[in-house]
Amino acid sequence: MFERRKAEGKPALVAYLTAGDPSPAATAGLVAALERGGADLIELGVPFSDPVADGPVIQRGADRALKAGMTLSRVLDVAKEVRKNSQIPMLLFSYLNPMLRYGFAKLAKDAKAAGIDGVLMTDASVEEAQTYVDAMRAEGLDTVFLAAPTSTERRLELVAKYSSGFVYLVSRTGVTGEQESLSDPIGPLVASMRKYTQLPLAVGFGISKHEQFKSVGSMADGVVVGSALVRVVEQHGASPNLEAELEAFTRRLVDGGA
Amino acid sequence: MTNLPDARGHFGPYGGRFVPEVLMAPLEELEAAYAEARVDPAFQAELADLLENYAGRPTPLYFAKRLSESLGGARIYLKREDLLHTGAHKINNCIGQALLAIRMGKRRIIAETGAGQHGVATASVCALFGLDCTVYMGEEDMRRQRLNVFRMRMLGAKVVGVTNGSRTLKDAISEAMRDWVTNVSTTHYLLGSALGAHPYPMMVRDFHQCIGKEARQQILAKEGRLPDTLIACVGGGSNAIGLFHAFLGDSGVRMIGAEAGGRSLKLGEHAARFDGGIPGVLQGTFSYLLQDDDGQIALTHSVSAGLDYASVGPEHAYLHDQKRVLYTSVSDADALAAAQRLSRTEGIIPALESSHAVAEAIKRAPSAKGEIFIVNLSGRGDKDTDIYRENLKELDASE
């Protein structure tokens, strides 16, 4: 998927959605809208009550999803629903505790059966991840880890070692959320990470506009957009045009134009 | 049992380091700085000097004669952490971590607070050292601990109200973690309990170990023997681990941690992690955790803001499983009654948190004739005046 876009001279769009926002029933349709708009990979966010790594937009998305009754097992139902009509790669994106409660082995099995391709855990370091990685890999699921601007060379090497599928580079210190301008240079982190892995590198945190998508995309294989999409869901959540709005926003992100 | 955690911050299966990658290198840096400071005589000398001359250590071990006599059983001693500067044991850890922050070149301090005691202690040491100070506090806690909010502001700290979730300690910690993730290069997160990612549970415990070390010497001097029972309240568990740690090797000393039993032991109405909690990960550490079947963190309740938290320090989880410490819960009502009883028998108004430990002592003392109890009176009750007034209305009637 990253390779195909690369051949086209474009970065892949990795699109994050909080599953269950605004309702569990809406999510499969929103994933389809993202795909029509040009998304190449979907991160299905599992809502969590205490999302320490997230800024206000995704916090609110998680709140709405939990109030609407979303759970990890229902996220897997959504994935199944998506798989009926689409082969788009899907990554389960979750804080650790809901996965721990579900049980790693059972989760790996159920996620695989639901058509999930990989898993990303936001709040566990590679040092604590061995049993998780073993369980996911046993079912053939990729394990994506994050690297950050604060990561030391030793840590980048560890992240490379435990990651499969791709590596997610966090473009700045901070929580998730859109930024007017991307102040921190991403080049050095991409170059450092490249020393340790041949996996595709996707860059995220703060990206919400086509220009940012293009400039970040020129340095990496993929660009992750999350809060900006969740904001569209928030703004149009009650509207019958929600899917059309999300699709249009995604298309503008990838292709530019009004 | 006394040489834990291991190199990766584990107490048996508990503890560890469960944070976003951004925080991993800063935690490694903190761990290294603390390891150096811990064995640096100059650091330890400065810490000891401030604990004595600024905070007021050692604190007395006071024999509560009238309370003991009124119960007709155990001889109850109170470890008077309530007499420390700023009104609670929290200052021990704040001085230690502030010295460490300065050593690391970090001039901006952030902290969370529940009851406000840790916030006040943090604001005080920041004033003392000229450090920039921001304290996150749940809005529900700001309402019930108004006096401490004012004290923090008077000390020059910025108090930021947190409106997420249950608007209590857990939400304040999440917001402090978000600040730290964002400003990690300039900022030290002065975490106030024996919680969070390694090295915090170890470091906070170490800074409070003076409580138990003093108490052990004091009881030997006064009674010529070790106590039978230690009792402390457990929110995150810093005052309890501070008292217990020096006695862990004394197999004859029983230890009891009193959690918040709240209104009832139904999920959502209490904060008794060992009475319905299941091990899980919250805010950096693996420990007993009040959660629902889907792994979402449960809401908690306690009349005492400082005990109102869904998880508990990982060393307590370990000591629980080892059966070295017995954890029990005390209801809101029993804690309030204990506060009034201690006030009337000893002329000491305890903090609501500490009242949970006093209540447990009151319950156990009558059947423990000949025994010696040490209760950690971790804080004083001035900050709780509003809550006592709400709950003891008969004392507040106008003429």
Side-chain angles (χ1 to χ4, degrees):
Chain A
M1 176 271 292
F2 289 101
E3 294 75 12
R4 181 166 55 83
R5 286 296 183 201
K6 193 166 229 166
E8 295 169 8
K10 280 181 180 173
L13 171 61
V14 177
Y16 171 94
L17 264 193
T18 301
D21 171 27
S23 70
T27 304
L30 296 178
V31 169
L34 289 172
E35 187 174 7
R36 288 195 301 273
D40 298 295
L41 187 154
I42 304 295
E43 292 179 345
L44 277 179
V46 178
F48 184 51
S49 53
D50 297 81
V52 294
D54 285 303
V57 174
I58 293 181
Q59 286 178 47
R60 291 197 298 269
D63 272 353
R64 289 189 297 269
L66 289 173
K67 285 204 178 89
M70 203 55 180
T71 64
L72 177 47
S73 64
R74 293 181 81 174
V75 176
L76 299 181
D77 292 341
V78 168
K80 256 181 234 163
E81 181 77 24
V82 172
R83 267 292 164 268
K84 285 181 190 163
N85 308 306
S86 165
Q87 287 312 304
I88 193 165
M90 282 187 289
L91 195 68
L92 202 60
F93 191 102
S94 182
Y95 285 85
L96 174 54
N97 201 59
M99 297 199 285
L100 206 53
R101 189 68 196 263
Y102 196 99
F104 288 154
K106 181 175 185 314
L107 176 64
K109 205 163 151 278
D110 293 353
K112 187 70 187 180
I116 293 284
D117 301 285
V119 190
L120 188 154
M121 168 165 68
T122 49
D123 58 344
S125 55
V126 285
E127 283 89 337
E128 298 284 1
Q130 191 66 57
T131 53
Y132 157 87
V133 169
D134 291 347
M136 299 305 148
R137 297 279 181 87
E139 295 292 336
L141 294 172
D142 281 325
T143 54
V144 177
F145 282 91
L146 296 106
T150 51
S151 301
T152 54
E153 295 284 324
R154 187 184 68 79
R155 299 204 55 78
L156 293 178
E157 199 175 354
L158 278 172
V159 167
K161 189 179 143 203
Y162 281 89
S163 295
S164 62
F166 67 98
V167 177
Y168 186 143
L169 305 185
V170 175
S171 63
R172 58 177 162 83
T173 61
V175 292
T176 56
E178 312 103 302
Q179 279 192 315
E180 207 36 50
S181 63
L182 301 176
S183 46
D184 302 272
I186 187 66
L189 180 56
V190 172
S192 300
M193 196 71 227
R194 226 355 122 221
K195 286 190 278 181
Y196 300 105
T197 183
Q198 289 310 306
L199 288 173
L201 304 179
V203 176
F205 274 41
I207 297 153
S208 61
K209 298 175 190 158
H210 175 65
E211 296 69 37
Q212 296 168 333
F213 177 79
K214 251 179 37 187
S215 72
V216 170
S218 69
M219 287 177 281
D221 307 297
V223 178
V224 187
V225 178
S227 293
L229 300 172
V230 173
R231 190 184 290 281
V232 172
V233 174
E234 177 167 62
Q235 283 168 347
H236 301 280
S239 155
N241 297 327
L242 172 59
E243 286 181 17
E245 294 284 352
L246 191 65
E247 180 183 337
F249 183 91
T250 308
R251 187 165 291 123
R252 284 198 297 279
L253 199 61
V254 175
D255 297 333
Chain B
M1 201 172 283
T2 51
N3 57 5
L4 293 174
D6 67 15
R8 280 172 41 204
H10 292 119
F11 302 88
Y14 302 107
R17 198 173 264 167
F18 296 91
V19 293
E21 173 62 25
V22 175
L23 293 178
M24 285 302 292
L27 284 166
E28 288 173 356
E29 183 195 344
L30 177 63
E31 182 188 359
Y34 176 60
E36 274 178 27
R38 202 178 188 182
V39 295
D40 177 355
F43 178 88
Q44 292 299 335
E46 191 174 6
L47 177 59
D49 176 66
L50 285 161
L51 285 174
E52 180 181 343
N53 297 302
Y54 182 72
R57 300 211 75 88
T59 58
L61 184 71
Y62 166 75
F63 175 50
K65 184 162 177 284
R66 290 197 67 226
L67 176 68
S68 302
E69 283 174 5
S70 78
L71 294 163
R75 293 167 62 78
I76 301 172
Y77 283 85
L78 304 176
K79 182 59 175 163
R80 297 293 307 274
E81 295 295 296
D82 62 315
L83 293 176
L84 283 174
H85 177 49
T86 72
H89 72 291
K90 296 288 187 189
I91 190 80
N92 302 325
N93 168 53
C94 288
I95 293 173
Q97 283 198 46
L99 289 175
L100 195 59
I102 294 166
R103 201 181 160 98
M104 295 171 71
K106 303 209 168 168
R107 306 293 301 183
R108 179 172 181 267
I109 301 290
I110 56 170
E112 83 296 339
T113 196
Q117 290 304 97
H118 175 58
V120 168
T122 302
S124 299
V125 297
C126 288
L128 174 68
F129 296 119
L131 303 171
D132 184 76
C133 181
T134 300
V135 179
Y136 290 93
M137 189 170 189
E139 284 204 333
E140 168 63 12
D141 290 340
M142 287 177 77
R143 182 191 66 76
R144 50 183 175 173
Q145 303 281 322
R146 259 181 305 186
L147 181 66
N148 274 345
V149 174
F150 182 79
R151 289 168 78 198
M152 286 184 267
R153 288 180 175 149
M154 188 159 171
L155 290 159
K158 187 172 149 204
V159 182
V160 180
V162 177
T163 55
N164 304 329
S166 54
R167 294 174 293 144
T168 58
L169 180 59
K170 165 174 77 72
D171 312 292
I173 294 177
S174 285
E175 213 49 39
M177 285 180 78
R178 292 184 186 114
D179 181 320
W180 200 34
V181 165
T182 309
N183 301 300
V184 67
S185 60
T186 60
T187 299
H188 175 67
Y189 179 13
L190 207 165
L191 184 60
S193 196
L195 289 170
H198 181 60
Y200 283 103
M202 170 183 78
M203 182 170 72
V204 174
R205 173 200 72 200
D206 289 353
F207 286 136
H208 286 303
Q209 272 191 58
C210 49
I211 302 171
K213 284 181 181 163
E214 286 172 14
R216 200 171 184 284
Q217 283 181 358
Q218 288 165 322
I219 199 71
L220 287 172
K222 284 174 196 281
E223 293 277 356
R225 70 175 181 93
L226 290 170
D228 299 285
T229 301
L230 307 176
I231 305 176
C233 64
V234 182
S238 65
N239 89 82
I241 202 67
L243 175 66
F244 294 166
H245 204 259
F247 295 91
L248 284 176
D250 301 317
S251 57
V253 178
R254 186 188 306 123
M255 303 181 191
I256 299 171
E259 299 188 279
R263 284 188 288 260
S264 82
L265 286 178
K266 190 177 146 218
L267 192 65
E269 299 209 328
H270 68 91
R273 289 66 44 101
F274 294 113
D275 210 331
I278 292 171
V281 167
L282 177 67
Q283 297 172 334
T285 195
F286 181 63
S287 185
Y288 279 76
L289 180 58
L290 291 167
Q291 53 178 312
D292 69 14
D293 294 342
D294 299 311
Q296 306 294 339
I297 310 309
L299 295 181
T300 54
H301 161 80
S302 170
V303 69
S304 145
L307 303 184
D308 196 352
Y309 184 62
S311 186
V312 61
E315 191 162 11
H316 287 291
Y318 175 72
L319 294 172
H320 169 269
D321 285 9
Q322 295 296 310
K323 300 192 166 37
R324 181 63 187 93
V325 178
L326 173 72
Y327 295 86
T328 181
S329 63
V330 169
S331 69
D332 286 355
D334 286 352
L336 286 161
Q340 186 156 21
R341 182 159 189 157
L342 189 68
S343 302
R344 295 286 170 93
T345 53
E346 298 293 343
I348 298 170
I349 300 179
L352 265 165
E353 290 75 23
S354 322
S355 300
H356 287 70
V358 175
E360 188 61 25
I362 290 171
K363 190 177 126 197
R364 288 173 179 271
S367 58
K369 191 112 186 134
E371 293 193 9
I372 298 169
F373 287 7
I374 295 178
V375 175
N376 201 6
L377 204 66
S378 55
R380 63 174 173 248
D382 310 42
K383 69 177 176 71
D384 293 317
T385 307
D386 284 346
I387 300 167
Y388 287 136
R389 285 180 73 175
E390 277 174 31
N391 286 281
L392 302 169
K393 286 207 165 61
E394 69 280 8
L395 304 181
D396 204 30
S398 51
E399 290 300 315

